[in-house]
Amino acid sequence: MSNLFESAGIDIGLIVLLLIVLVVISAVITVSMSVRLSRLTKKYRLFMKGKDGQSMEKAFAQKFREMERLSKVSENHQVDIKDLKRKYKKTLTRYGIVKYDAFDDVGGKLSFALAMLDSENTGFILNAIHSRDNCFLYIKEIVKGESYIMLSDEEIRALKQAARTEEEFV
């Protein structure tokens, strides 16, 4: 065999050197793979610690059932939220109040106009007129910011305050 290498002009020492380099490279790769396998084995043992295959399967099944239950609860909450939003639009969340003296002989601004509106500016104006002897209470319906009955100056100011109330806080 050495005659074969000599006839080809290849030195046997060079071949031995190449084989040694390949063995060293193979040894380094083997050690590297061994370290990686050891780390992976530790992670696997930590993951499976105290569990067998069936108990892990049960744990996963339980978690999936819990996720399905939470999904259904979430759907119910979404329906409830939509219902609340629909109802909220009809609640009287905007207000305006103007206090005034209805008569010259009565002071203290005991009369008032109170406007209560929903998000579409629909609601009512309550006007309480106070005199020395009596107190009169009037209510006027408001639909989309408009009244079918003529409004006093105080009622108009209360209505404008109520229409601005939500815009100022948004």
Side-chain angles (χ1 to χ4, degrees):
M1 181 125 159
S2 92
N3 289 340
L4 179 67
F5 289 125
E6 284 178 12
S7 65
I10 299 175
D11 186 23
I12 293 181
L14 184 63
I15 292 175
V16 170
L17 187 62
L18 284 174
L19 289 175
I20 290 173
V21 169
L22 284 175
V23 168
V24 169
I25 291 173
S26 297
V28 169
I29 291 173
T30 303
V31 169
S32 173
M33 292 296 181
S34 176
V35 168
R36 286 184 179 178
L37 181 62
S38 175
R39 288 181 186 161
L40 187 60
T41 303
K42 285 180 184 177
K43 288 180 182 179
Y44 176 75
R45 286 190 179 139
L46 182 65
F47 180 71
M48 296 298 285
K49 187 175 183 179
K51 304 281 184 178
D52 59 355
Q54 287 184 344
S55 63
M56 288 297 290
E57 185 178 339
K58 288 178 185 176
F60 283 133
Q62 180 182 3
K63 292 297 179 190
F64 285 130
R65 283 193 302 271
E66 182 70 15
M67 287 174 50
E68 288 175 11
R69 185 187 68 78
L70 290 174
S71 176
K72 288 178 185 175
V73 168
S74 176
E75 288 174 14
N76 290 340
H77 287 175
Q78 291 298 327
V79 170
D80 291 344
I81 288 170
K82 285 180 184 177
D83 187 45
L84 286 172
K85 283 182 178 179
R86 185 180 50 78
K87 288 179 181 177
Y88 180 75
K89 286 183 179 181
K90 301 226 182 266
T91 58
L92 302 175
T93 56
R94 298 177 179 192
Y95 63 91
I97 188 165
V98 174
K99 293 177 73 174
Y100 64 97
D101 289 326
F103 303 103
D104 292 334
D105 63 335
V106 178
K109 295 190 177 186
L110 298 175
S111 300
F112 66 89
L114 171 66
M116 298 290 295
L117 304 174
D118 64 10
S119 62
E120 296 177 350
N121 288 337
T122 299
F124 63 86
I125 294 179
L126 188 64
N127 193 351
I129 300 175
H130 182 74
S131 69
R132 288 193 182 274
D133 300 327
N134 295 315
C135 182
F136 301 97
L137 198 58
Y138 302 96
I139 191 165
K140 296 178 182 176
E141 183 180 18
I142 304 296
V143 177
K144 299 192 186 231
E146 302 279 326
S147 174
Y148 299 111
I149 302 171
M150 193 166 143
L151 301 177
S152 69
D153 291 339
E154 294 81 12
E155 291 169 334
I156 292 171
R157 288 195 340 240
L159 181 60
K160 286 181 180 179
Q161 279 182 12
R164 280 196 319 252
T165 300
E166 198 164 289
E167 294 169 4
E168 292 174 357
F169 296 110
V170 173

